[in-house]
Amino acid sequence: MTDAPRITPRTLKGFRDFLPEKMIPRERIIETAKRIFRSYGFAPIDTPALELIEILKGKGSEETDKQLYEFADKGGRQVGMRFDLTVPLARFTAQHFAEIGAPFKRYHIATVWRGENTQRGRFREFMQCDFDTIGTRSLASDIETAVVIHDLLRTIGFERFTIRLNHRGVLAGMLEKVGLAEKSTEVLRALDKLAKIGPQKVTEEIVAAAGATAEQAQAVLELAGIQGTTDEIVRQLRTVLQGNPHGLESADQLAALAAATQAAGVPSERLVLDVSIARGLDYYTGAVFETLLDDLPGIGSVCSGGRYDNLAEMYTKQELPGVGASLGLDRLLEAMTELGMIDEVATPCEIFLPYFDADRLHDYLRLATRLRAAGMRVELYPEPKKLGHQLKYADRKGFRVAVIVGGDEWSAGVCQVKDLASGDSETISLDAASRGLEKRLAALVTRTPEA
Amino acid sequence: MTDAPRITPRTLKGFRDFLPEKMIPRERIIETAKRIFRSYGFAPIDTPALELIEILKGKGSEETDKQLYEFADKGGRQVGMRFDLTVPLARFTAQHFAEIGAPFKRYHIATVWRGENTQRGRFREFMQCDFDTIGTRSLASDIETAVVIHDLLRTIGFERFTIRLNHRGVLAGMLEKVGLAEKSTEVLRALDKLAKIGPQKVTEEIVAAAGATAEQAQAVLELAGIQGTTDEIVRQLRTVLQGNPHGLESADQLAALAAATQAAGVPSERLVLDVSIARGLDYYTGAVFETLLDDLPGIGSVCSGGRYDNLAEMYTKQELPGVGASLGLDRLLEAMTELGMIDEVATPCEIFLPYFDADRLHDYLRLATRLRAAGMRVELYPEPKKLGHQLKYADRKGFRVAVIVGGDEWSAGVCQVKDLASGDSETISLDAASRGLEKRLAALVTRTPEA
């Protein structure tokens, strides 16, 4: 086999390897998200990467249909790789409803595939991180969604971010009021571009795409332009929506949502009403959420979602309203890198234990076991190479501390604890009873808090 | 859309949905495994689900080639879904060697796909959980592999298990000694069936498949039949391998491995030498490991691995020896279920907070936030339904404790803490300063330790 021609090792276009430097912060964020989800009662589920094509086709957009990885399996079944976690959730909920009941709160963190155009910097394989509450129309679940988003961002390490909140019902109410209810898709699609192309162009698009009059378009833009504090916005909404019960009720819900999230501990400056948020998908019918980073608003929303009326109507007559959101993992990691929030290291360990007295392997093993039993992460170098070589390795990988024990130290019952960042070194007793080494290491490795 | 014909929600044959009851213990084991891997310096990586077909084909067995999910992507490239994590590791290591260097310690926990025959109870999608140390021949890494296996099983919750250890070199040495070195594949394949078909049939198969004489087969069987304590086995190996340096050196390595794992804290009864273990794959060249559960030996090895000489020769001229093992997640979960080690619940939360005074939503939200801030997992029911209905939900999901606060309790500043298993209830003050509620709940929910 050694003489066989070699194959160039390469990844498929649009696909990525994750090296430890990138994977360590990814895993940390995913674990933080899971911890938060669980603390609110969201339970994990998983579904297959492959679904029957009839489950996937026509359930997303025309674009997702086109991007589908689709093929016939060995049994001749036409199958596809999931392109999101919402369609699998709908199929799952319909299929297992008798067992899971309602309300059903789940999180699902899993890979999805889309044959996107890679020229737009998109990847064809990425991870989605969704949480939803299915089977209830209660505002309490909308509130909780906002509270979870806040808790996620805070726990991941952000201080400066804003959850932008709107309610589809205020837009729908206005469209009903001015007689554009039948054209809501076209209007919402145009409105979604407000930040990008400005009110003039949006008005033109509403007129062109929805066949609206200038007055109708004007009324929509007026609504979307409402700004101010929560109280001010709600007051103005009540004025412009006068006479439309749907719109007025939705404005009340916005007010209730804002008040309750504050009661639950979300500072008012982190949850603001933004009547201009439409969120492209037709799918949403109630509250909609976006989350912008104050220091990097340009990267777009890092956590978005909303309320929908009927999750699984394709698969069941059981009506399943719900609310949920999705954490944008790639975007979040990109932002954290840009904001210097990620310390790129290639090891999950803090403590490096060089192995350089070849005869003392058992002692090194015992010491590593002792430190791990004290809750520490310790890598023992596998070969008794020169100390300089080993410390270079430790440095390159990003260890914080080296515990150096050579022949003399073993004899004297001490070790050198070397801070690899500062280069400072100190002699510490190896006496297990005193736990002096454990205490010193604990102090050194907890300089920055773990997520 | 409501009027469109409905699609029957179903999963593809051989594929599984994981409901919370199954997913919660899966996630717990995976997280335990990650914690252990990290504490030894193994770093996470990930690779794409899809690889170019030239990377995958011919790298596993004939069987995996046949089972490959293979198709042409939209760009006309022939691609396949990964069938294991070893081939992607080889490709990854060859491709990124300049960045990652050696030694390289990685874990990779990810889904793989094989179009297996489902009649054998196999699934076509399953998760693999591998860890490897690449780029060193040091025995220290073999030792560490055994120590990690021990630590994994212990931390997952097993007390009664045995890591069975062998060295390919003792078998190879014997084959060299009796002149069967060229037929090692056939001999190993036959020997692998020893436990299943017995020594007589194995002898016959060695004679038939390897063209061996009865005497040659006899010598192999004699070696594989050696039993006893570590010392006894090593002594007998030294006798039967007399004159073959390769075999003798391997016997010495076995002795050194056993001694060092004990020094590292693995009790001697949990690591036993078993000369009969061949582990089918040609791939292994040094130490090989299997892990059997003492109470369920019949399910087979739950963690297996070994040392190999050259991981990535298909992709690079860089010689990459390594050692690693793979935790059998499905098998382990099956065993834990059978042994009653898994408490099947449908919620990751311990504490249930009924919402039944409709006017007090803000108070319920505040209370939930307060308890979460104290590190607790609390689900607030989303609708102010009858208490009995809500408690039935809590019971069905498997919550441990309900914190019941109705109108009277809110006025009196107290709550009822109800143990949902025993039905016992007690009145506790809601006073935040005293932290009486937090203390009582902490005592109730930590009855069983978290993994």
Side-chain angles (χ1 to χ4, degrees):
Chain A
M1 190 185 286
T2 336
D3 297 330
R6 292 218 169 75
I7 296 154
T8 307
R10 60 200 177 107
T11 43
L12 197 55
K13 194 180 164 196
F15 287 74
R16 293 171 284 181
D17 279 335
F18 290 99
L19 273 71
E21 292 87 323
K22 295 294 176 194
M23 198 62 190
I24 290 168
R26 280 181 86 79
E27 285 205 333
R28 190 170 299 156
I29 292 184
I30 290 169
E31 280 165 28
T32 300
K34 286 183 180 176
R35 211 168 65 236
I36 300 295
F37 293 151
R38 291 170 189 161
S39 76
Y40 288 80
F42 292 90
I45 68 162
D46 203 5
T47 65
L50 294 178
E51 298 267 2
L52 286 159
I53 204 70
E54 69 209 47
I55 300 290
L56 299 177
K57 264 274 175 77
K59 307 308 178 305
S61 60
E62 255 175 66
E63 212 185 349
T64 52
D65 276 1
K66 257 194 301 186
Q67 294 169 346
L68 210 52
Y69 281 96
E70 180 184 351
F71 61 98
D73 75 1
K74 305 259 192 240
R77 301 170 205 87
Q78 201 63 18
V79 300
M81 295 173 82
R82 65 181 167 212
F83 60 85
D84 76 359
L85 301 179
T86 303
V87 173
L89 174 64
R91 198 262 310 141
F92 178 100
T93 317
Q95 187 170 336
H96 304 290
F97 190 74
E99 286 162 86
I100 60 179
F104 178 62
K105 296 168 77 169
R106 82 87 177 82
Y107 67 85
H108 193 183
I109 303 174
T111 308
V112 302
W113 296 270
R114 295 183 190 176
E116 303 238 19
N117 185 344
T118 54
Q119 285 172 337
R120 292 152 68 198
R122 300 279 184 87
F123 293 103
R124 291 176 172 163
E125 174 178 67
F126 52 98
M127 196 159 260
Q128 288 200 331
C129 179
D130 288 12
F131 67 101
D132 288 83
T133 303
I134 315 291
T136 175
R137 293 182 197 285
S138 172
L139 196 70
S141 298
D142 301 54
I143 295 160
E144 187 171 76
T145 304
V147 176
V148 171
I149 294 173
H150 180 257
D151 212 348
L152 279 171
L153 272 282
R154 282 281 288 112
T155 314
I156 289 169
F158 289 93
E159 292 290 337
R160 295 174 36 76
F161 63 92
T162 314
I163 301 169
R164 306 188 86 79
L165 172 67
N166 194 11
H167 194 295
R168 272 296 182 84
V170 304
L171 283 160
M174 178 53 87
L175 295 182
E176 288 163 18
K177 192 177 162 179
V178 301
L180 281 175
E182 302 299 307
K183 296 288 180 185
S184 72
T185 306
E186 291 81 0
V187 175
L188 289 175
R189 197 165 289 153
L191 207 54
D192 225 13
K193 303 176 190 160
L194 188 58
K196 248 187 260 171
I197 63 176
Q200 185 52 42
K201 288 240 158 93
V202 171
T203 307
E204 286 167 20
E205 186 172 326
I206 293 176
V207 171
T213 65
E215 288 69 31
Q216 286 173 318
Q218 188 50 40
V220 173
L221 263 293
E222 190 192 342
L223 179 93
I226 290 174
Q227 290 185 345
T229 63
T230 298
D231 287 349
E232 289 163 5
I233 289 174
V234 172
R235 206 177 314 122
Q236 291 177 71
L237 283 175
R238 286 194 181 117
T239 307
V240 302
L241 291 164
Q242 204 62 49
N244 179 277
H246 181 191
L248 288 172
E249 192 199 337
S250 302
D252 287 346
Q253 286 197 9
L254 272 182
L257 252 163
T261 47
Q262 263 184 268
V266 177
S268 61
E269 69 274 16
R270 291 218 188 104
L271 186 108
V272 308
L273 302 197
D274 182 343
V275 191
S276 73
I277 295 175
R279 295 215 56 75
L281 289 163
D282 283 337
Y283 178 68
Y284 293 119
T285 51
V288 284
F289 307 93
E290 284 187 354
T291 310
L292 296 180
L293 301 177
D294 298 354
D295 298 316
L296 280 177
I299 68 159
S301 175
V302 294
C303 191
S304 313
R307 173 166 282 285
Y308 40 88
D309 270 346
N310 203 352
L311 173 70
E313 61 185 338
M314 288 285 193
Y315 314 110
T316 176
K317 61 177 196 243
Q318 177 81 41
E319 212 169 84
L320 291 170
V323 59
S326 187
L327 190 69
L329 201 59
D330 278 323
R331 208 173 261 189
L332 208 57
L333 280 159
E334 191 189 312
M336 291 174 77
T337 303
E338 206 164 324
L339 295 172
M341 293 166 70
I342 289 175
D343 196 18
E344 276 207 3
V345 292
T347 175
C349 268
E350 294 85 10
I351 301 167
F352 180 67
L353 183 55
Y355 168 28
F356 76 111
D357 182 349
D359 298 333
R360 293 278 199 165
L361 178 57
H362 287 202
D363 290 319
Y364 290 112
L365 288 166
R366 265 187 216 106
L367 179 57
T369 297
R370 167 184 157 189
L371 295 177
R372 283 186 203 113
M376 294 175 181
R377 292 184 279 233
V378 186
E379 178 170 329
L380 171 62
Y381 196 81
E383 297 175 22
K385 289 195 174 167
K386 279 192 183 153
L387 183 60
H389 180 93
Q390 295 187 47
L391 290 177
K392 230 168 105 179
Y393 166 89
D395 225 43
R396 183 161 55 80
K397 292 276 175 180
F399 286 89
R400 305 255 283 273
V401 182
V403 175
I404 304 171
V405 214
D408 293 347
E409 280 92 357
W410 283 122
S411 305
V414 296
C415 64
Q416 303 297 325
V417 171
K418 186 182 171 83
D419 183 321
L420 293 170
S422 68
D424 294 345
S425 196
E426 55 189 307
T427 304
I428 307 271
S429 164
L430 280 174
D431 174 41
S434 75
R435 300 184 63 78
L437 179 58
E438 282 86 345
K439 283 177 204 155
R440 189 66 199 110
L441 290 174
L444 280 169
V445 300
T446 52
R447 284 172 308 186
T448 54
E450 263 296 291
Chain B
M1 189 186 287
T2 335
D3 298 329
R6 291 216 169 77
I7 295 155
T8 307
R10 58 199 177 108
T11 41
L12 195 56
K13 194 179 162 196
F15 287 75
R16 294 170 284 182
D17 279 335
F18 290 99
L19 273 72
E21 292 87 324
K22 295 293 176 196
M23 197 64 190
I24 290 169
R26 279 181 87 80
E27 285 204 331
R28 189 170 300 154
I29 292 184
I30 290 168
E31 280 166 27
T32 301
K34 286 183 181 176
R35 211 169 65 239
I36 300 294
F37 293 151
R38 290 170 190 161
S39 75
Y40 288 80
F42 292 90
I45 68 162
D46 203 6
T47 64
L50 294 179
E51 298 268 2
L52 287 159
I53 206 68
E54 70 209 47
I55 300 290
L56 298 177
K57 265 272 177 80
K59 306 308 179 305
S61 59
E62 255 177 64
E63 211 185 349
T64 53
D65 276 2
K66 259 195 300 188
Q67 294 168 346
L68 210 52
Y69 282 96
E70 178 182 353
F71 61 98
D73 76 0
K74 305 260 195 240
R77 298 170 207 88
Q78 201 64 19
V79 300
M81 296 172 82
R82 64 180 167 212
F83 61 86
D84 76 358
L85 302 179
T86 302
V87 173
L89 174 64
R91 197 265 307 142
F92 178 102
T93 316
Q95 188 171 335
H96 304 290
F97 189 74
E99 285 162 88
I100 60 179
F104 177 61
K105 296 167 78 169
R106 82 87 176 82
Y107 66 86
H108 191 184
I109 302 174
T111 307
V112 303
W113 296 269
R114 295 183 190 176
E116 302 238 20
N117 185 346
T118 55
Q119 286 172 335
R120 291 155 65 197
R122 301 279 184 88
F123 294 103
R124 290 175 173 164
E125 176 178 67
F126 53 97
M127 194 159 262
Q128 289 199 333
C129 181
D130 288 12
F131 66 100
D132 289 81
T133 303
I134 315 290
T136 174
R137 294 183 196 283
S138 172
L139 195 71
S141 297
D142 302 53
I143 295 161
E144 188 171 75
T145 305
V147 176
V148 170
I149 294 174
H150 180 258
D151 211 348
L152 280 171
L153 272 283
R154 283 281 290 113
T155 314
I156 288 169
F158 289 93
E159 291 292 339
R160 294 174 38 74
F161 62 92
T162 313
I163 302 170
R164 305 189 85 78
L165 171 67
N166 194 10
H167 194 295
R168 272 297 182 85
V170 303
L171 282 160
M174 179 54 85
L175 295 182
E176 288 164 17
K177 192 176 161 180
V178 300
L180 281 174
E182 301 300 306
K183 296 289 180 182
S184 72
T185 307
E186 292 80 1
V187 174
L188 289 174
R189 197 167 289 153
L191 208 51
D192 226 11
K193 302 176 191 162
L194 188 58
K196 249 187 260 169
I197 63 175
Q200 186 54 39
K201 288 239 158 89
V202 171
T203 307
E204 286 165 20
E205 187 173 325
I206 293 177
V207 170
T213 65
E215 288 69 34
Q216 286 173 318
Q218 189 49 40
V220 172
L221 262 295
E222 189 193 345
L223 179 94
I226 290 175
Q227 290 185 346
T229 63
T230 298
D231 286 348
E232 289 162 2
I233 291 175
V234 172
R235 206 175 317 123
Q236 292 177 67
L237 285 175
R238 285 193 180 121
T239 308
V240 301
L241 291 164
Q242 204 61 47
N244 180 275
H246 181 192
L248 288 172
E249 191 198 340
S250 303
D252 287 346
Q253 286 198 8
L254 271 181
L257 252 163
T261 49
Q262 262 184 269
V266 177
S268 62
E269 69 273 17
R270 291 217 187 103
L271 187 108
V272 307
L273 302 198
D274 182 344
V275 190
S276 74
I277 295 175
R279 294 216 58 73
L281 290 163
D282 283 336
Y283 177 70
Y284 294 118
T285 49
V288 285
F289 308 93
E290 285 189 353
T291 311
L292 296 180
L293 301 177
D294 297 352
D295 298 317
L296 280 177
I299 68 162
S301 175
V302 294
C303 193
S304 311
R307 173 166 282 284
Y308 39 88
D309 269 348
N310 202 353
L311 174 69
E313 60 185 337
M314 288 285 195
Y315 314 109
T316 176
K317 62 176 193 243
Q318 177 80 43
E319 209 168 272
L320 291 169
V323 59
S326 185
L327 189 69
L329 202 57
D330 279 321
R331 207 172 262 189
L332 209 55
L333 280 158
E334 193 190 311
M336 291 174 79
T337 304
E338 207 164 322
L339 294 172
M341 294 167 70
I342 289 174
D343 197 17
E344 276 208 2
V345 292
T347 175
C349 268
E350 293 85 12
I351 301 168
F352 181 67
L353 183 56
Y355 167 28
F356 76 111
D357 183 349
D359 298 335
R360 293 279 197 164
L361 178 57
H362 287 200
D363 290 319
Y364 290 111
L365 288 166
R366 264 186 216 106
L367 179 57
T369 297
R370 168 185 155 188
L371 295 177
R372 284 186 203 113
M376 291 173 184
R377 293 184 279 233
V378 185
E379 178 171 328
L380 171 62
Y381 196 81
E383 297 175 22
K385 289 196 174 166
K386 282 195 180 144
L387 184 60
H389 180 95
Q390 295 187 46
L391 290 178
K392 232 168 102 181
Y393 166 89
D395 226 42
R396 184 160 55 80
K397 293 277 175 180
F399 286 89
R400 304 256 283 272
V401 181
V403 175
I404 304 171
V405 214
D408 293 347
E409 281 91 357
W410 283 123
S411 307
V414 296
C415 65
Q416 303 297 326
V417 171
K418 188 182 169 80
D419 184 320
L420 293 170
S422 67
D424 295 346
S425 194
E426 55 189 309
T427 305
I428 306 271
S429 165
L430 281 172
D431 175 42
S434 78
R435 302 184 63 78
L437 179 58
E438 282 86 345
K439 282 177 205 157
R440 189 67 197 110
L441 290 173
L444 280 169
V445 301
T446 51
R447 283 173 310 184
T448 55
E450 262 296 292

